[in-house]
Amino acid sequence: MWQSSPPGSIYDYIRVASFSIGPDGLIEQWSRRAAGLFGVAAHEAMGKDPVEAFMPAELRGDGYRRIGEVLDGKEWTGLVPFRMPGEDAVHGLAEIYVMPSETAAGERAAVCIVVDVRALRLIETDLAASQAIFGQSPFGFVLFGTDLTVVRANQRFATVFGGQAEDHRGRTVEDYLAGAEADRLTATLERVLATGDSVTDLQLVGTAPGDTERRHWSMNLYRVHSGSGRPIGIAGLATDVTRRHIAAREAASARRNLALLNEASARIGNSLDLETTARELLDVAVPGFCDLASVDLYQALLTGEETPPGSGGSPHREAVGGSAELRRVAFASAVSDALPDTAPDTGSGPDSGAAGPRTPALGAVHRYPFGSPCAKALRTGRVADVPGDDRGFVRSTLAVPLLAHDTVVGLVQFSRTKGSEPFGERDRALATELAARAAVCIDNARLYRREHERALILQRSLLPPGDPEAAGLDIACRYLPGNTATEVGGDWFDVIELPGHRTALVVGDVMGRGLRAAVAMGELRTAVRTLALLDLEPAEVLSALDEVARGLGTPGAGTSSDAGGGAQWPSRAAHKSRDADLSEVYLATCVYAVYDPVTRRCTFANAGHLPPVVVEPGEAALLLDVPPGMPLGVGGEPFEEVEVELKEGALLALYTDGLVESRDHPLDEGLEALRGALVEPDRPLEDVCDHVLSSLDTRHGEDDIALLMARIQGLPTDAVGDWRLPPEPRSVGRARELARGQLLAWDLDDLVDTTELLVSELVTNALRYGEGEIRLRLLRDRTLVCEVWDAGLVQPRRRRARDTDEGGRGLQLVGLLSAAWGSRRTPRGKTVWFELPLPDGGPAAERTVEELLSMF
């Protein structure tokens, strides 16, 4: 088949020319390429002697000899220098191949083929350079033809994919890569061939023949052209970048690990709650580090025992053998639709059975068998590898003990599912670091929980019960901590029963928060109750309480006692003798009120506290004008008292500043809002409390809130018996008669004899040791109270009479037969009182022998 030589063929480069010599030794045929090579046209060369025309004079003799040999039938090949005809002759060197031939007449002639040696040497140099680059390159070199089959490959390429370089000729992309990678390379080759745009750093992944390791190649592709510019194929330079990829992956892993640790530092431990801290750990680990994770904590730690089972002691004990009870407190999964039972099978004790172990559910209490990897991790305190499950869902699991201060508090398991890379050494180190950070936070939460529970026990033990009772008062109270994280503060309230069915109402606030404030509050509350039982006036109570508060800020402050051997309080001299650190000075505010249900009068004294609120029936809420005074602990200023008569059904509210003040709401606005919330005081008191707390912004979490509300219910007139007796002996009999008549009117027949006896003793003492007019008063409420008033200032004192004494047993008898008795000062003398419980309908308890003998 005839066809034209395509442009850019080899003949275009080597410039092959031909001419023929006739039997006479003259040129008889001259080709166009010869004309181009020598620069002589055919009509100029025809019929000329080639030796004479083209060879230098000094070489013509040898030239004639060679021409003769050729015409004699001998072939000859050699280099022949030549010169172009003309004045500016160009000298060159031609490689000539002379072949004998015959004419039609049988005469000998010659055909000569000439090549320009300069072009030939240039081609040889280019081929050598190409061969050196192609064959000696340390990179895989491959040439694809226009049909995308391999035309040529170097030995480096063959070393990777096997065989010799020649063996790869004719192969396709599918012979080296599989699936999507082969399709991607084919599409790239087609695009390069079509557009001529080169591609650099094309990343390919595959495996070499006989090797299971995944390898990474970087490939540069460019289109190859012929001399005329016609595309003849695609050259590819492939570099194995597996090590670089591994290094980059390790660097990325290191960066990821650092980022995870930074995230762990920021997110783990924000809450002092055990379960929340465990969930924070998993929020960091999933999915950034693993696909599944769970946290188990020792059950003993969660129940508040002093020391978790995994701390200290011999490693061979069952408690630290990894088989103590744990509770699964957190689980996380990055796998869609994954449930906790898709976690790795770790052999939980109680769930193990014939069907095999089952993974603990969230919140379940379980044990790990002694020989399991998890038990080993708990026992040794080191990371353990847990085998994957039989279903092949979990590929790799690390069981990491939560170790804090040499104490194992639990176990965390990190798992990677099928399709993820298994854990390596770097991952083990990161898992250990994550677990260690979380363990410290969990241990801190454990310690905080323990101390917090103790503080709560302290504070709740110092607050009155939920439903305090008082004569003539309906009471409701609320206490809200500043926030659920602390629940411990310095606010307190109290309801204290006083003699004569009177009641002391107290609300106070120690400045500050936390355990220190709670402890100071407890000391002040105890002091208030002690002072209240001494039946002091409200201003006197606050003055003494001020001394107590000032002594709290002076460690080791001395005490002084009164001459009568009463209660001991920190002395002012001892307080001033030490320069207490201002940070240790306790300041508190307090309002103290005493309510008498007989007169419905309430006496207030205030130490820097917010004013009480009173709502009388049909009236708007009113802030009582009680002089605030100085806070407790400041000292130097007396406290004033204000007495207010309250109407039946009136509402009294005592509160702390957390109820009415916050950063967003000034005090004046809060007080006005409190007054506005008390618009329906006739509702049930518990509902009124709830309405106040829901109406005001009490969830700001800035301060504790104490609220004490009391509805006034004075004793009815028929529950009070009040008489005045002259200071004369016949008043003793008259007092008995009055007491008997009143008890019979109240249907308290069972108390008549005891009351007559005790009234007789108290009136007799008033006549003997007291002064002025005698007043007898009986009060019936939840108990029966009898009071005898006189103008004397000498307080009665109980003593034990000797066998020979004829008297001195009156107060001893009062103390034996009554539920309680005492005396208090009044503005015009003193009051001696006793209290008897009301009969419950059952038979009266018989006196013991010791009680009967002590009466004599």
Side-chain angles (χ1 to χ4, degrees), residues 218-570:
S218 172
M219 199 164 191
N220 297 329
L221 301 171
Y222 58 93
R223 191 170 68 181
V224 180
H225 304 85
S226 66
S228 62
R230 179 177 58 88
I232 61 173
I234 304 147
L237 183 65
T239 306
D240 191 334
V241 293
T242 303
R243 292 184 179 179
R244 188 176 72 187
H245 182 80
I246 293 174
R249 185 174 59 189
E250 291 179 352
S253 176
R255 289 192 298 269
R256 181 201 64 187
N257 293 353
L258 287 175
L260 275 174
L261 292 178
N262 289 335
E263 185 180 5
S265 300
R267 297 181 61 180
I268 299 176
N270 292 325
S271 169
L272 289 174
D273 180 75
L274 292 169
E275 291 83 355
T276 302
T277 303
R279 289 193 294 269
E280 290 171 346
L281 168 61
L282 301 193
D283 289 341
V284 172
V286 180
F289 178 66
C290 61
D291 301 317
L292 300 170
S294 62
V295 176
D296 299 319
L297 297 181
Y298 277 114
Q299 178 71 358
L301 180 147
L302 294 169
T303 55
E305 295 187 10
E306 287 292 320
T307 306
S311 61
S314 168
H316 300 291
R317 294 188 310 161
E318 189 271 339
V320 293
S323 299
E325 286 189 341
L326 299 105
R327 185 194 303 170
R328 179 143 297 179
V329 297
F331 174 83
S333 171
V335 182
S336 59
D337 301 328
L339 298 174
D341 60 2
T342 61
D345 234 344
T346 51
S348 302
D351 294 332
S352 299
R358 189 171 67 241
T359 301
L362 187 63
V365 177
H366 63 98
R367 295 174 182 265
Y368 288 114
F370 184 84
S372 65
C374 293
K376 181 180 179 181
L378 291 169
R379 185 166 59 249
T380 62
R382 296 187 180 92
V383 182
D385 292 313
V386 180
D389 60 356
D390 297 335
R391 296 166 293 176
F393 180 78
V394 175
R395 182 175 186 181
S396 178
T397 298
L398 295 177
V400 187
L402 294 168
L403 186 63
H405 311 299
D406 297 327
T407 299
V408 178
V409 297
L411 183 78
V412 56
Q413 296 182 65
F414 302 109
S415 301
R416 289 180 178 173
T417 57
K418 186 177 180 180
S420 300
E421 293 186 359
F423 291 109
E425 288 302 318
R426 290 179 181 268
D427 296 321
R428 292 172 67 93
L430 177 60
T432 303
E433 180 66 21
L434 287 174
R437 297 193 180 197
V440 171
C441 296
I442 289 174
D443 194 51
N444 290 340
R446 175 183 69 87
L447 296 175
Y448 169 78
R449 172 181 286 186
R450 185 184 66 184
E451 299 304 322
H452 184 228
E453 289 176 350
R454 292 177 178 177
L456 284 178
I457 292 172
L458 169 65
Q459 175 143 13
R460 290 168 181 170
S461 67
L462 295 176
L463 294 174
D467 298 315
E469 296 181 354
L473 292 176
D474 182 14
I475 296 177
C477 51
R478 296 289 188 273
Y479 176 81
L480 299 178
N483 56 67
T484 56
T486 58
E487 295 189 9
V488 179
D491 289 15
W492 91 92
F493 64 92
D494 210 345
V495 179
I496 307 170
E497 293 188 53
L498 299 178
H501 287 314
R502 294 173 303 132
T503 303
L505 304 175
V506 189
V507 167
D509 183 2
V510 177
M511 297 182 185
R513 286 189 187 181
L515 188 58
R516 291 177 65 251
V519 171
M521 176 272 287
E523 296 189 46
L524 291 176
R525 178 180 181 272
T526 302
V528 169
R529 295 189 71 87
T530 304
L531 294 168
L533 294 178
L534 294 177
D535 218 349
L536 302 176
E537 295 297 323
E540 294 177 325
V541 170
L542 293 187
S543 295
L545 197 61
D546 179 58
E547 292 289 338
V548 174
R550 295 169 66 192
L552 292 179
T554 307
T559 59
S560 62
S561 60
D562 58 11
Q568 294 182 336
W569 309 108

Side-chain angles (χ1 to χ4, degrees), residues 575-641:
H575 176 76
K576 292 182 178 180
S577 65
R578 297 176 182 267
D579 295 328
D581 185 359
L582 290 179
S583 64
E584 294 296 329
V585 174
Y586 290 87
L587 297 178
T589 62
C590 179
V591 62
Y592 184 87
V594 175
Y595 171 69
D596 187 344
V598 178
T599 62
R600 293 199 310 274
R601 301 185 72 84
C602 191
T603 305
F604 296 90
N606 192 352
H609 204 79
L610 295 174
V613 178
V614 173
V615 187
E616 294 186 342
E619 302 290 339
L622 175 67
L623 297 176
L624 289 181
D625 186 13
V626 180
M630 300 298 291
L632 301 176
V634 175
E637 294 293 333
F639 298 97
E640 301 182 39
E641 292 182 358

Side-chain angles (χ1 to χ4, degrees), residues 34 51 58 64 139 183 189 213 249-250 390 417 433 439 465 507 514 527 568 597 619 660 665 702 750 756 761:
V51 176
E58 63 273 13
Y64 284 122
F139 309 112
D183 295 340
L189 290 173
E213 181 183 0
R249 185 174 59 189
E250 291 179 352
D390 297 335
T417 57
E433 180 66 21
V507 167
Q568 294 182 336
E619 302 290 339
V660 295
H665 302 284
E702 297 174 8
D750 294 341
E756 277 190 293
E761 289 292 337

Side-chain angles (χ1 to χ4, degrees), residues 51-216:
V51 176
E52 183 69 26
F54 299 106
M55 296 187 65
E58 63 273 13
L59 297 178
R60 289 174 183 170
D62 186 62
Y64 284 122
R65 183 174 56 83
R66 295 292 183 186
I67 289 295
E69 292 176 355
V70 170
L71 293 175
D72 288 338
K74 185 178 180 181
E75 292 184 0
W76 179 78
T77 302
L79 295 177
V80 178
F82 67 90
R83 63 181 177 80
M84 299 296 184
E87 297 181 357
D88 299 327
V90 177
H91 292 269
L93 187 66
E95 184 175 79
I96 189 169
Y97 178 41
V98 183
M99 297 172 288
S101 64
E102 291 183 356
T103 64
E107 295 178 313
R108 293 185 179 179
V111 175
C112 301
I113 298 176
V114 184
V115 179
D116 187 350
V117 174
R118 294 173 301 175
L120 192 61
R121 295 295 178 265
L122 183 59
I123 291 174
E124 290 176 350
T125 302
D126 290 344
L127 287 175
S130 175
Q131 183 62 31
I133 294 174
F134 198 84
Q136 300 174 21
S137 172
F139 309 112
F141 209 104
V142 61
L143 179 63
F144 293 95
T146 54
D147 58 353
L148 304 187
T149 60
V150 176
V151 176
R152 186 176 181 186
N154 67 352
Q155 191 58 40
R156 178 60 182 171
F157 184 86
T159 302
V160 175
F161 290 99
Q164 298 298 318
E166 294 78 9
D167 299 336
H168 292 271
R169 184 173 290 116
R171 292 186 180 180
T172 63
V173 171
E174 286 76 11
D175 295 321
Y176 305 104
L177 299 173
E181 290 294 278
D183 295 340
R184 192 159 62 91
L185 179 56
T186 299
T188 305
L189 290 173
E190 291 174 346
R191 186 174 68 253
V192 172
L193 185 62
T195 64
D197 297 333
S198 61
V199 173
T200 59
D201 197 22
L202 175 65
Q203 297 292 320
L204 299 171
V205 180
T207 57
D211 191 2
T212 58
E213 181 183 0
R214 289 164 60 90
R215 307 195 65 81
H216 297 260

